[in-house]
Amino acid sequence: MSYTAPIKDMLFVMQELADLEEITTLPGFEDANFDTAQAILEESAKLCGEVLAPLNVEGDRNPSSWKDGVVTATPGFKEAFRQFAEGGWQGVQHPVEYDGQGLPKLIATSCLEMLNASNLSFALCPLLTDGAIEALLTAGSEVQKQAYVPRLISGEWTGTMILTEPQAGSDLALVRTRAEPQADGSFKLFGTKIFISWGEHDMAKNIVHFVLARTPNAPEGVKGISLFVVSKFLVNDDGSLGARNDVHCVSLEHKLGIKASATAVMQFGDHGGAIGHLIGEENRGLEYMFIMMNAARFAVGVQGVAISDRSYQKAAAYAKERVQSRPVGSSAKQPVAIIHHPDVRRMLATMRSLTEASRALAYVAAAHCDIGHHHPNEATRAEHQAIYEFLVPIVKGWSTELSIDVTSLGVQVHGGMGFMEETGAAQYYRDARILPIYEGTTAIQANDLIGRKTVRDGGAVAKYLLVGIAKTVETLGRHQGAAFESMQKQLAQGHRSLEAAVEFVIANIKRDPNAVFAGSVPYLKLTGLILGGWQMARALLAAAEKREEDPSFYGAKIATAQFYAEHVLPQAAALETSIVSGKGNEGVLALAEDQF
Amino acid sequence: MSYTAPIKDMLFVMQELADLEEITTLPGFEDANFDTAQAILEESAKLCGEVLAPLNVEGDRNPSSWKDGVVTATPGFKEAFRQFAEGGWQGVQHPVEYDGQGLPKLIATSCLEMLNASNLSFALCPLLTDGAIEALLTAGSEVQKQAYVPRLISGEWTGTMILTEPQAGSDLALVRTRAEPQADGSFKLFGTKIFISWGEHDMAKNIVHFVLARTPNAPEGVKGISLFVVSKFLVNDDGSLGARNDVHCVSLEHKLGIKASATAVMQFGDHGGAIGHLIGEENRGLEYMFIMMNAARFAVGVQGVAISDRSYQKAAAYAKERVQSRPVGSSAKQPVAIIHHPDVRRMLATMRSLTEASRALAYVAAAHCDIGHHHPNEATRAEHQAIYEFLVPIVKGWSTELSIDVTSLGVQVHGGMGFMEETGAAQYYRDARILPIYEGTTAIQANDLIGRKTVRDGGAVAKYLLVGIAKTVETLGRHQGAAFESMQKQLAQGHRSLEAAVEFVIANIKRDPNAVFAGSVPYLKLTGLILGGWQMARALLAAAEKREEDPSFYGAKIATAQFYAEHVLPQAAALETSIVSGKGNEGVLALAEDQF
């Protein structure tokens, strides 16, 4: 159950597709370059491969546990977290002024992938802390930033996102937790929150909760929600820890996967009120939470890439080792390693191409984010930020949906052994299943992609990306060989399908919103499929250029791109049909409630 | 976590698609008719809904357990098995002369579906006993039949299939278990077998194992394997039980799902040799095992249908009950049950249409089997038997692959709650994962479909079915309305894709077998998709005819068929591209072993 970070593949994507060179010339990133990136990836790979990956199975067998309100993380996690924190890994992408490393999100994304591939449950804790840091940096006061950010970056403390209540899951309008203002400007919070990842644990000295709650007389619905910071231990003015706050973990959930990550039911205010402080302005909590959530959504998308790669690595290793049956179309009498059987090869190539496509899309998105924040030109920043925001729900929704398919194939490659828990392939299948759910289900991502990202700007970003794809299709046409021909043909068809889908969405959103939203997830999947395919096409062009330098490595990139073109991209037409069939409320919506 | 057998849907399929009326006029089935079928289904539904379904969660939380070689089934299972046996349910499809009920496989299939939907782990035991009975009836001597079959049918004893060894999974050529002939005509068996479902338990007085082993000097490979019956307790000539045989369960596996079903490691001959008796002729064991296996493969396909339906029922119930978010495109301020949200509706319609299509295909296959065995005309029997055999790998492979997707959607509909084990949706997701693996992985089914079922007869059965589909397409064209138009268009396209795939397989199997087998699973999926779609089209035609009689029920059939046409059938073209892209060994096989 080892994990070897695919550094070479990561660097290929960063250099050839995500323009690492440009990123490292942006103001603030001048100290970074290819060599820095490589050095960081190698260090990160060591920690992930040697310390975190071996704890992954342990976490599954011996989940974090609750006793009398105290949660003890899986044995080994506390020490591993210490190493993670001391290595400065929490701060990779955060500002130098708060003791972060100030590196590009592009580089941080590869570290994030490794962290999650090695141990998804463990990685969820720093992932949420990242979100907390981003929310503070955006909406917190300077005092709050100074009080919390450096300690979150150092790993002394960790952060959580506390939104969900039993009646308020996807629908945050239904949040009922109360925040009562106190004379000193603080608030007292009362309520029950559920599904709080790492809401309580023993890996850090303090836990900083970011909590959605309502102040008295706040408007109903999402416009009456405020964001509060509530720390497990109160923080004195000098930064030292004070009394235990009135926020307690009353139980942990028993889950399908990511068992080591404590999923807490958190009770606020059972003993007089949990003391909290308002972040930013009253009633703007949801807006701030979306900052955390967008960061977290991107990161969950990377979790999808990560678990796919882990599952692929394990399946490929098993397929090379397991000897079973004679080769097809050969007179050989001896059984061979199953990787020689065409269907096993097909499964592995599927896993690999989906993983590479979703990785490429995520890294490219990260690069847009870097440009969107660091480019000296404001218009350029805005343009790239808009592309990044368009891509976030796709990275989140598409990569995580894929991870279900990939980890399922990972089980299948192992045959009967895959169903045995000791083998380990099943853990990835179980762990991955949360990814299309938390931080907004795939449907929520798809609604975001349609409403805020496609319709609001009249399809501007979508059409801009379509122009880019068309250019790549044209470039592909100038090359010869089966890989280019297949990719050119399928990407062109995919482009037509995506164009038709974008037009359908924009044309029908007002007059028939149900029809559009009935195809929202197929629309998200189609954008992922085509944008991922675009990256595979760009990878193909880059690899063909460099093939001579390293025939095996670049040859594999070419073959993987061809596989994606012939076996994955053709799904575009079916998705298009599914999207445009929503019209007239037939099909999807034809069945009445009582007919189900 | 209740289960209500969909009797009305089952009877619709039996009557309208699987020609129950014709089946019940076949020699031997004269006592059965629609009313009999309905009465049997209602009785079966009671046992399954009231006794077995409530034990399903218990089995997951409290799996069958091993202590000192003794396996104790999940609490409640033994009593439930007694009720199952006393009700005569093991004998539904078996001959009256051995105390069975001699009913058509078509009717038995609906009982099988209910049994598996209510409790997959439990149902696996009778499923294997069915296979054992079929093998004995085909290859056993009259003495063996008399000795074992009535007791297997009565449920006094149960049966197992014992094939797998650590080095011999899909590849039975590698079986090493030895069978040494004894002076009295019996054999002594020595070896270790793994993955033996219900290999040991306390629900029956005796367990009859059907074991693959090699006699001394047997030829190498699959041509040197014989089949032996080895009972847990030896059987005296008068039928009473004798000494404990030297076959022991040395441990149970810890599995992803179907936890209640004891998956045993069985040790033969550690204390002098397990006494066994040859079934049929020496070295023909694999052939006999395939009789059991084909029966079991069909049944596992039905398990796929069953777990899909169970998962669908649960998701639909939750979606009607869970209130969250306001409706799309409405000025309503109040949140509604999530079934009103288009994406939830899409997920449920997907689950429902896949379940119905796979059910229809399985039941139609069962009807072909009935005609294949009972029709007075030999040529008609042969024709229908050939169709049944063509359909078995599709029912097995396609229905079980679908069940992964359906149960995954079942989790997704529940949102965060779906990931919590207490909710129960996750159990179906875990349980279903074994189905595309055991009794031959999907790749093994696909190889069978290509090699024995498509190529051997030059595509005769495949082409015969294509003619039937073309006729239905024509009939659809004579009707008006969106459902007919979509179905006509998509089924016609599907027909073209399947025709192209069949031609590709036949044209290339000799000159480029690797290319064909690289597309074997897509070929299986395509046949399932189109043959399932054909049944949905036939259902559409039948429902439109009867619509006035019961507008809600038949209207749902029409809407479900339309959904399948618009959202499922369009995948055909992508599968076709995937299949024919195998040519020239590029794509799938372009990556060398060391490039993975």
Side-chain angles (χ1 to χ4, degrees):
Chain A
M1 326 258 201
S2 64
Y3 166 70
T4 307
I7 294 178
K8 203 168 168 182
D9 297 272
M10 290 170 162
L11 288 171
F12 171 80
V13 172
M14 290 161 77
Q15 261 195 305
E16 305 295 339
L17 309 179
D19 213 348
L20 177 65
E21 208 170 339
E22 190 198 333
I23 302 294
T24 53
T25 60
L26 292 172
F29 295 149
E30 299 90 344
D31 292 346
N33 57 28
F34 180 83
D35 293 337
T36 336
Q38 185 165 26
I40 292 167
L41 267 58
E42 280 166 5
E43 273 310 303
S44 174
K46 255 187 232 167
L47 176 77
C48 294
E50 293 168 15
V51 178
L52 300 175
L55 286 172
N56 192 45
V57 170
E58 177 66 15
D60 193 54
R61 295 188 186 153
N62 201 351
S64 295
S65 58
W66 182 96
K67 201 184 166 195
D68 301 333
V70 174
V71 173
T72 307
T74 293
F77 270 40
K78 189 174 175 174
E79 167 58 19
F81 191 79
R82 193 190 58 75
Q83 290 186 53
F84 169 82
E86 285 179 1
W89 296 106
Q90 185 74 61
V92 176
Q93 64 179 315
H94 298 300
V96 175
E97 59 203 284
Y98 298 102
D99 305 339
Q101 299 192 40
L103 285 162
K105 190 179 181 80
L106 176 56
I107 294 175
T109 297
S110 62
C111 299
L112 186 69
E113 182 190 328
M114 293 181 196
L115 198 64
N116 279 287
S118 65
N119 197 320
L120 206 61
S121 284
F122 178 91
L124 189 53
C125 190
L127 186 160
L128 291 164
T129 302
D130 276 338
I133 293 167
E134 291 220 26
L136 275 167
L137 291 176
T138 314
S141 67
E142 194 49 43
V143 172
Q144 287 171 334
K145 289 183 203 177
Q146 291 296 349
Y148 298 107
V149 177
R151 286 183 180 82
L152 289 168
I153 286 179
S154 71
E156 272 178 279
W157 303 351
T158 65
T160 71
M161 291 170 59
I162 302 200
L163 296 76
T164 306
E165 299 175 12
Q167 79 294 345
S170 294
D171 186 1
L172 293 169
L174 304 178
V175 158
R176 286 202 290 249
T177 295
R178 291 179 296 125
E180 295 183 356
Q182 306 298 307
D184 65 354
S186 70
F187 289 78
K188 282 196 172 176
L189 275 75
F190 302 88
T192 303
K193 294 282 189 175
I194 62 167
F195 295 170
I196 310 309
S197 296
W198 290 108
E200 178 58 30
H201 61 82
D202 62 346
M203 302 193 296
K205 287 181 193 150
N206 201 7
I207 302 175
V208 185
H209 304 295
F210 290 77
V211 188
L212 291 186
R214 292 184 186 284
T215 52
N217 308 317
E220 276 188 31
V222 293
K223 289 177 182 158
I225 298 173
S226 303
L227 180 63
F228 298 88
V229 57
V230 179
S231 52
K232 177 178 169 182
F233 290 99
L234 297 173
V235 180
N236 299 321
D237 287 344
D238 64 356
S240 64
L241 294 186
R244 183 72 167 81
N245 205 349
D246 185 12
V247 47
H248 296 279
C249 171
V250 292
S251 66
L252 296 181
E253 304 288 352
H254 177 223
K255 308 189 300 292
L256 172 61
I258 56 163
K259 295 188 181 183
S261 78
T263 303
V265 176
M266 301 295 291
Q267 195 67 35
F268 289 80
D270 267 9
H271 309 282
I275 296 170
H277 300 278
L278 185 69
I279 302 270
E281 293 172 29
E282 222 169 304
N283 298 331
R284 289 181 64 188
L286 204 68
E287 187 185 316
Y288 307 141
M289 191 55 98
F290 265 104
I291 296 163
M292 291 180 75
M293 208 129 71
N294 267 325
R297 283 175 176 182
F298 174 82
V300 172
V302 176
Q303 291 194 306
V305 178
I307 196 80
S308 291
D309 189 48
R310 182 80 186 259
S311 170
Y312 165 72
Q313 288 193 18
K314 180 160 181 54
Y318 183 79
K320 289 176 189 178
E321 174 192 298
R322 170 73 171 170
V323 172
Q324 200 80 172
S325 302
R326 292 179 291 169
V328 166
S330 145
S331 56
K333 292 268 186 243
Q334 290 305 311
V336 292
I338 62 172
I339 197 167
H340 293 286
H341 300 314
D343 183 66
V344 172
R345 203 71 76 93
R346 182 190 59 79
M347 290 193 277
L348 292 174
T350 305
M351 297 173 77
R352 180 194 176 93
S353 67
L354 295 177
T355 303
E356 292 198 355
S358 58
R359 174 185 296 132
L361 191 61
Y363 285 31
V364 165
H368 284 296
C369 182
D370 283 327
I371 304 173
H373 284 82
H374 287 261
H375 199 279
N377 183 305
E378 195 186 326
T380 308
R381 282 204 305 276
E383 187 184 287
H384 285 270
Q385 180 63 21
I387 297 173
Y388 173 67
E389 286 177 6
F390 183 89
L391 295 178
V392 167
I394 304 169
V395 169
K396 199 296 185 176
W398 183 62
S399 307
T400 62
E401 290 283 340
L402 290 186
S403 75
I404 307 288
D405 299 336
V406 171
T407 55
S408 179
L409 285 172
V411 172
Q412 190 72 15
V413 168
H414 288 80
M417 286 305 295
F419 200 65
M420 306 300 133
E421 285 289 4
E422 68 179 287
T423 306
Q427 185 188 346
Y428 309 141
Y429 179 67
R430 289 186 287 99
D431 285 355
R433 196 64 198 74
I434 191 59
L435 304 181
I437 296 174
Y438 68 11
E439 303 303 339
T441 63
T442 306
I444 297 284
Q445 305 305 320
N447 290 353
D448 179 49
L449 180 63
I450 284 184
R452 290 188 204 86
K453 311 297 168 67
T454 302
V455 171
R456 192 180 283 176
D457 70 359
V461 171
K463 286 170 189 170
Y464 176 86
L465 294 170
L466 281 164
V467 169
I469 296 169
K471 279 187 196 155
T472 302
V473 170
E474 212 187 302
T475 310
L476 290 164
R478 289 198 290 271
H479 289 72
Q480 284 180 339
F484 286 104
E485 279 163 30
S486 289
M487 184 59 91
Q488 204 260 354
K489 185 180 162 194
Q490 296 297 338
L491 191 59
Q493 173 57 51
H495 177 274
R496 282 192 292 276
S497 290
L498 182 55
E499 196 165 42
V502 170
E503 278 165 17
F504 175 82
V505 164
I506 291 171
N508 291 284
I509 187 76
K510 284 220 171 115
R511 77 178 91 131
D512 196 355
N514 272 292
V516 171
F517 285 107
S520 64
V521 168
Y523 177 69
L524 180 143
K525 287 186 176 176
L526 179 63
T527 53
L529 179 72
I530 305 307
L531 294 174
W534 183 25
Q535 301 315 320
M536 295 304 271
R538 296 179 63 222
L540 167 62
L541 289 162
E545 193 87 7
K546 297 204 163 180
R547 187 164 196 164
E548 310 279 284
E549 288 174 29
D550 187 343
S552 173
F553 179 77
Y554 292 111
K557 293 285 167 230
I558 293 167
T560 305
Q562 183 179 348
F563 182 89
Y564 189 94
E566 294 172 353
H567 300 271
V568 184
L569 270 179
Q571 294 161 15
L575 290 165
E576 179 194 344
T577 304
S578 191
I579 295 161
V580 303
S581 293
K583 218 168 163 177
N585 279 1
E586 286 181 328
V588 176
L589 300 164
L591 281 164
E593 178 178 345
D594 64 359
Q595 288 177 306
F596 278 99
Chain B
M1 326 253 203
S2 64
Y3 167 69
T4 306
I7 294 179
K8 203 168 168 183
D9 296 272
M10 290 171 161
L11 288 170
F12 171 80
V13 172
M14 290 162 77
Q15 261 196 304
E16 305 294 339
L17 309 179
D19 213 348
L20 177 64
E21 208 171 339
E22 191 199 331
I23 303 293
T24 54
T25 60
L26 293 172
F29 294 150
E30 298 91 345
D31 294 343
N33 57 28
F34 180 83
D35 294 337
T36 337
Q38 187 165 24
I40 292 166
L41 266 58
E42 281 165 6
E43 273 310 304
S44 175
K46 257 187 231 165
L47 176 78
C48 294
E50 293 168 15
V51 179
L52 299 175
L55 286 172
N56 191 46
V57 169
E58 176 67 15
D60 193 53
R61 294 191 187 153
N62 201 350
S64 295
S65 58
W66 182 97
K67 199 182 169 199
D68 301 333
V70 174
V71 173
T72 307
T74 292
F77 271 41
K78 188 175 177 175
E79 168 57 21
F81 191 79
R82 193 189 58 73
Q83 290 186 52
F84 169 83
E86 285 179 0
W89 295 106
Q90 185 75 62
V92 176
Q93 65 179 315
H94 299 300
V96 175
E97 59 203 285
Y98 297 102
D99 307 338
Q101 300 192 40
L103 285 161
K105 189 179 181 81
L106 177 55
I107 295 175
T109 297
S110 62
C111 299
L112 185 70
E113 183 191 327
M114 293 181 197
L115 196 66
N116 280 288
S118 65
N119 198 320
L120 205 62
S121 285
F122 179 91
L124 190 53
C125 190
L127 187 159
L128 292 164
T129 303
D130 276 339
I133 293 168
E134 290 221 26
L136 275 166
L137 291 176
T138 315
S141 67
E142 194 49 42
V143 172
Q144 287 171 333
K145 290 184 203 176
Q146 291 296 348
Y148 297 107
V149 178
R151 285 185 181 82
L152 290 169
I153 285 179
S154 70
E156 272 178 280
W157 303 351
T158 64
T160 70
M161 292 170 59
I162 302 200
L163 295 76
T164 306
E165 299 176 11
Q167 80 293 345
S170 294
D171 187 1
L172 293 169
L174 303 178
V175 159
R176 286 202 291 248
T177 295
R178 291 178 298 123
E180 293 183 357
Q182 306 298 305
D184 65 354
S186 70
F187 289 78
K188 283 196 170 173
L189 275 76
F190 302 88
T192 302
K193 294 282 190 174
I194 61 166
F195 295 170
I196 311 310
S197 296
W198 290 107
E200 177 60 28
H201 61 82
D202 62 346
M203 301 194 296
K205 288 180 190 150
N206 201 7
I207 302 175
V208 186
H209 305 294
F210 289 77
V211 189
L212 291 185
R214 292 184 185 283
T215 53
N217 307 318
E220 275 188 31
V222 293
K223 289 177 182 159
I225 298 175
S226 302
L227 180 63
F228 298 87
V229 56
V230 179
S231 52
K232 176 178 170 183
F233 290 99
L234 297 173
V235 180
N236 299 320
D237 287 344
D238 64 357
S240 63
L241 294 185
R244 183 72 167 82
N245 205 349
D246 184 12
V247 47
H248 296 277
C249 170
V250 292
S251 65
L252 296 182
E253 304 288 353
H254 176 223
K255 309 190 299 293
L256 172 61
I258 56 164
K259 295 188 180 184
S261 79
T263 303
V265 177
M266 303 294 291
Q267 196 68 34
F268 290 80
D270 267 9
H271 310 282
I275 295 170
H277 300 278
L278 186 68
I279 303 268
E281 293 173 29
E282 222 169 303
N283 298 332
R284 289 181 62 188
L286 204 68
E287 187 186 316
Y288 307 141
M289 190 55 97
F290 264 103
I291 296 164
M292 293 181 75
M293 209 129 68
N294 267 325
R297 283 175 175 182
F298 174 81
V300 172
V302 176
Q303 291 193 306
V305 178
I307 195 82
S308 291
D309 189 48
R310 182 82 185 259
S311 169
Y312 165 71
Q313 288 192 19
K314 181 161 180 51
Y318 183 79
K320 289 177 190 179
E321 174 192 297
R322 170 74 170 169
V323 172
Q324 201 79 173
S325 301
R326 291 180 290 170
V328 166
S330 146
S331 56
K333 292 268 185 244
Q334 290 305 310
V336 292
I338 61 171
I339 196 168
H340 293 285
H341 299 314
D343 184 67
V344 172
R345 204 71 77 92
R346 183 190 59 79
M347 289 194 276
L348 291 175
T350 304
M351 296 173 77
R352 180 192 176 94
S353 67
L354 294 176
T355 303
E356 292 199 356
S358 59
R359 173 185 295 131
L361 191 62
Y363 285 32
V364 165
H368 284 295
C369 182
D370 283 326
I371 305 173
H373 284 82
H374 286 262
H375 199 279
N377 182 307
E378 195 186 327
T380 306
R381 282 205 304 278
E383 189 184 285
H384 285 270
Q385 180 63 21
I387 296 173
Y388 173 67
E389 285 177 7
F390 183 88
L391 294 178
V392 167
I394 303 168
V395 168
K396 200 293 184 178
W398 183 62
S399 309
T400 61
E401 291 282 342
L402 290 187
S403 74
I404 306 289
D405 299 335
V406 172
T407 55
S408 179
L409 285 172
V411 172
Q412 190 73 16
V413 169
H414 288 80
M417 286 306 295
F419 200 66
M420 305 301 132
E421 286 288 4
E422 68 180 286
T423 306
Q427 186 188 345
Y428 309 141
Y429 179 68
R430 289 187 287 99
D431 284 356
R433 197 63 198 76
I434 191 60
L435 303 181
I437 296 174
Y438 68 13
E439 302 303 339
T441 63
T442 306
I444 298 283
Q445 306 305 321
N447 290 353
D448 179 49
L449 179 64
I450 285 184
R452 291 187 203 87
K453 311 297 168 65
T454 302
V455 171
R456 192 181 282 175
D457 70 0
V461 171
K463 286 171 189 168
Y464 177 87
L465 294 170
L466 281 164
V467 170
I469 295 170
K471 279 187 194 153
T472 300
V473 169
E474 212 187 302
T475 310
L476 289 165
R478 289 199 290 271
H479 290 73
Q480 284 180 338
F484 286 103
E485 278 162 33
S486 289
M487 184 59 91
Q488 204 259 356
K489 184 180 163 195
Q490 295 297 337
L491 191 59
Q493 173 57 50
H495 176 275
R496 282 192 291 278
S497 290
L498 183 54
E499 196 166 43
V502 170
E503 277 166 17
F504 175 81
V505 164
I506 291 171
N508 291 285
I509 188 76
K510 285 221 170 115
R511 77 178 92 131
D512 196 354
N514 273 293
V516 171
F517 285 107
S520 64
V521 168
Y523 177 68
L524 179 143
K525 288 185 175 175
L526 179 63
T527 53
L529 179 71
I530 305 307
L531 294 173
W534 183 25
Q535 301 314 321
M536 294 304 271
R538 296 179 63 223
L540 167 62
L541 289 162
E545 193 86 8
K546 298 204 161 179
R547 186 163 196 165
E548 309 278 284
E549 289 174 31
D550 187 344
S552 174
F553 180 76
Y554 292 112
K557 292 285 168 228
I558 293 167
T560 306
Q562 183 179 347
F563 182 88
Y564 190 93
E566 294 173 353
H567 299 272
V568 184
L569 271 179
Q571 294 161 15
L575 289 165
E576 179 194 343
T577 304
S578 191
I579 295 161
V580 303
S581 292
K583 217 166 161 178
N585 280 358
E586 285 180 329
V588 177
L589 300 163
L591 281 164
E593 179 179 345
D594 64 359
Q595 287 177 305
F596 279 99

